[in-house]
Amino acid sequence: MTEPFIEFRGVSFAYNDRPILKDLSFRVERGQLVAIMGGSGSGKTTLLRLISGQVRPQQGQVLVDGRDLARMSHAELYEHRRRMGFLFQFGALFTDLTVGENVAFPLKEHTDLPPRLIDDLVTLKLNAVGLRGTEKLMPSELSGGMARRVALARAIALDPALMLYDEPFTGLDPISLGVIAHLIKKLNDALGTTAVMVTHDVHKSLDIVDYVFFVAQGKIIAEGTPAEVRASDSPWLRQFVDGAPEGPVHFAYPAPTSLAADLGLEAGHA
Ligand SMILES: Nc1ncnc2c1ncn2[C@@H]1O[C@H](COP(=O)(O)OP(=O)(O)OP(=O)(O)O)[C@@H](O)[C@H]1O
């Protein structure tokens, strides 16, 4: 069996005293593009934070490229994060920098490359997302879909070994969404990157990913290839794939008290 690029071994994580992930294990093979899906508040973004080393598990291990993040020094963790690309919801660009300066930013920040080479790399990255020629534009002159593609060009500027996407499709019209999804897949294949994408867009992601993990109640409750997910008759998966509001996945925040108690309607209350 090949060594996975990302491995969670019995990871438990709580914010303060509120458990979010419970003894969760999964592996992502090198070069794969995987989706993490689950109900709102199920801990998907927390999973990305654990992979990037922003937070540490209270129990278990998070290994990336065979290394336990908890054992890394500050300098090693910094290097680990430098090898990662992030594309988050609304992929915020620096509004006072041009498109070209936005894409050049990580290259200037993290390398000693000469300006001419940085300019060439910016051109190549913008070309990869179909936006060569926009270098001099300001972010305010871009459509939402174009801005997301510039953010993607910036995220891949340093040729990351690992890409983390958090809701990369949010707020996009269907055509821009299709373009971004296709680019994510194309760039992943071309660069050999391993990528983890948190998304609510079941159908679009099933078109592009290699594998899907479903998170609920702090665990991976189902997983499979897109073909397996589409063919599954598991009620969990059907609820996601069919977008049913009712089903085994609960979307309510787990309030510590009942609604009746909050409204003063339980026995014993006046
Ligand atoms: N920094 C924090 N401190 C305390 N609680 C947090 C923090 N960040 C997230 N949470 C809580 O942890 C739970 C999981 O959050 P997370 O953002 O990982 O969920 P998610 O699955 O990504 O949700 P969504 O799909 O709605 O974005 C949520 O109930 C959230 O309120």
Side-chain angles (χ1 to χ4, degrees):
M1 200 195 246
T2 56
E3 191 185 75
F5 194 72
I6 301 171
E7 185 174 9
F8 276 49
R9 290 186 187 158
V11 167
S12 296
F13 179 83
Y15 286 113
N16 306 315
D17 285 336
R18 200 154 77 79
I20 307 295
L21 304 173
K22 299 165 201 160
D23 192 21
L24 179 145
S25 299
F26 73 101
R27 313 156 58 107
V28 178
E29 302 302 326
R30 195 177 294 270
Q32 278 202 326
L33 168 57
V34 307
I36 310 266
M37 296 184 196
S40 184
S42 57
K44 304 180 297 296
T45 299
T46 303
L47 250 156
L48 294 186
R49 287 192 193 134
L50 284 159
I51 295 172
S52 68
Q54 276 172 283
V55 294
R56 290 186 177 186
Q58 281 86 12
Q59 272 176 36
Q61 292 171 299
V62 177
L63 293 102
V64 178
D65 207 5
R67 303 198 51 205
D68 183 348
L69 298 193
R71 292 176 181 274
M72 285 186 184
S73 64
H74 272 302
E76 288 170 328
L77 208 50
Y78 180 81
E79 181 57 23
H80 163 66
R81 297 187 70 185
R82 203 188 65 80
R83 293 178 63 214
M84 276 187 292
F86 301 91
L87 184 65
F88 288 164
Q89 218 175 68
F90 305 120
L93 298 174
F94 302 115
T95 51
D96 51 346
L97 299 185
T98 64
V99 164
E101 288 165 346
N102 263 282
V103 179
F105 191 85
L107 293 162
K108 288 184 181 158
E109 193 76 359
H110 294 292
T111 73
D112 297 322
L113 296 172
R116 275 278 317 270
L117 189 51
I118 290 189
D119 285 348
D120 287 350
L121 286 171
V122 167
T123 304
L124 285 171
K125 298 301 171 189
L126 283 171
N127 192 50
V129 299
L131 290 177
R132 189 163 50 83
T134 62
E135 286 83 344
K136 299 271 184 291
L137 296 180
M138 296 305 289
S140 58
E141 297 175 277
L142 305 175
S143 70
M146 287 165 82
R148 198 72 52 93
R149 278 148 71 194
V150 173
L152 182 56
R154 188 179 61 185
I156 60 164
L158 292 165
D159 292 329
L162 174 61
M163 273 296 295
L164 300 181
Y165 297 98
D166 198 353
E167 303 285 1
F169 308 132
T170 304
L172 295 179
D173 64 85
I175 294 176
S176 302
L177 192 156
V179 170
I180 283 282
H182 174 74
L183 273 174
I184 287 175
K185 168 83 180 140
K186 194 182 90 174
L187 292 172
N188 217 66
D189 290 348
L191 303 174
T193 319
T194 307
V196 181
M197 178 168 73
V198 163
T199 175
H200 288 296
D201 200 304
V202 181
H203 294 281
K204 193 42 80 183
S205 15
L206 288 183
D207 285 345
I208 61 166
V209 299
D210 299 303
Y211 207 75
V212 189
F213 295 100
F214 290 87
V215 185
Q217 293 163 358
K219 303 230 180 228
I220 304 288
I221 50 122
E223 61 183 274
T225 63
E228 287 165 348
V229 169
R230 286 195 180 100
S232 170
D233 54 10
S234 140
W236 294 97
L237 296 193
R238 290 270 48 97
Q239 189 183 357
F240 273 102
V241 177
D242 303 335
E246 299 295 332
V249 182
H250 299 295
F251 290 93
Y253 183 88
T257 48
S258 71
L259 177 63
D262 283 359
L263 298 175
L265 300 175
E266 279 196 339
H269 288 272

